[in-house]
Amino acid sequence: MLGNPASSAGQAVTPLSVAEPAPRQVRGPSILDRLDRPAQWRPLTGDPGGSCVFDDELVVTTDESNVVECPGPADSFAGDQSIEVDVTVRNPGSCALIWFRFVGRSGYKLSACETTVRLDLDNDGDETTLTKVASTAFRAGHRERVLIDLRAQTASVTIGDAVVFQAPVTDPGLVAGKIVLGAGSDSAEGPARVSFAEAEFRSL
């Protein structure tokens, strides 16, 4: 027979125990930007060295300078990370440049040029080439997806669906840093002009 609810009115009620929510694991920053308008990246105009403007993509042009870096996010990526972006070399003799683990004026720099793809250790313009391969993936006007996958002390570079090289990234002073997009001239054929689109940068 069921008891009378009124008979338990004076008894203490034990509250339910609710577990605290587990803290969310923070792996670091992620940046997603279509690069079709100012957002994470901003225009650079009025600089005699070059410009970064938006025309459905982030279009980077060198003028008096050999290298232009576009103003972008200051997020520092450490540890394993992936860097993906669509790249188009628009002018002959141009290179699309992607710096990563960039601290102060030093970092690793991927150069996607018409006839070569290379990875340099860039110490304020003093460059040491780590890996260089011949490639026609970035012939003028051709758009390709670039993936730089960083795991421990190795950078794996994929263009389209093909892994083109792996290289060591072992400098003890460059374990974290910004990702920077820009352009440079690979020859004396005139100003460099490249574009970037659909950027996806993630900590892993």
Side-chain angles (χ1 to χ4, degrees):
M1 182 175 181
L2 294 176
N4 185 346
S7 66
S8 61
Q11 296 179 1
V13 178
T14 303
L16 293 175
S17 176
V18 179
E20 291 292 324
R24 183 172 65 90
Q25 185 175 9
V26 179
R27 294 183 178 273
S30 292
I31 296 173
L32 305 177
D33 194 326
R34 295 182 64 182
L35 298 177
D36 58 348
R37 66 196 70 184
Q40 298 278 351
W41 275 263
R42 303 176 301 281
L44 173 68
T45 58
D47 188 322
S51 64
C52 303
V53 299
F54 292 91
D55 182 13
D56 292 329
E57 299 179 318
L58 175 60
V59 181
V60 191
T61 305
T62 64
D63 291 333
E64 295 180 5
S65 173
N66 288 328
V67 174
V68 172
E69 300 168 20
C70 296
D75 301 73
S76 180
F77 287 76
D80 294 351
Q81 57 194 268
S82 68
I83 301 165
E84 287 191 74
V85 65
D86 286 358
V87 170
T88 306
V89 171
R90 294 191 169 200
N91 280 6
S94 304
C95 297
L97 306 179
I98 304 170
W99 289 265
F100 57 91
R101 295 185 180 174
F102 196 60
V103 182
R105 298 303 310 160
S106 297
Y108 296 98
K109 182 179 74 175
L110 180 76
S111 300
C113 309
E114 275 192 296
T115 59
T116 60
V117 179
R118 69 179 185 271
L119 183 66
D120 297 316
L121 178 59
D122 182 0
N123 185 14
D124 195 15
D126 183 12
E127 298 179 357
T128 301
T129 298
L130 304 176
T131 303
K132 180 178 179 179
V133 298
S135 172
T136 58
F138 298 103
R139 57 194 179 275
H142 187 67
R143 178 168 168 167
E144 280 285 2
R145 188 73 172 170
V146 175
L147 165 62
I148 306 170
D149 190 75
L150 298 170
R151 307 280 178 159
Q153 295 184 316
T154 301
S156 177
V157 175
T158 300
I159 300 172
D161 296 324
V163 177
V164 294
F165 64 73
Q166 292 184 321
V169 285
T170 58
D171 191 302
L174 297 175
V175 297
K178 298 189 301 180
I179 299 168
V180 179
L181 304 178
S185 179
D186 196 38
S187 70
E189 294 187 33
R193 187 174 173 85
V194 308
S195 59
F196 297 92
E198 303 293 345
E200 298 183 14
F201 305 155
R202 292 184 172 88
S203 295
L204 303 176

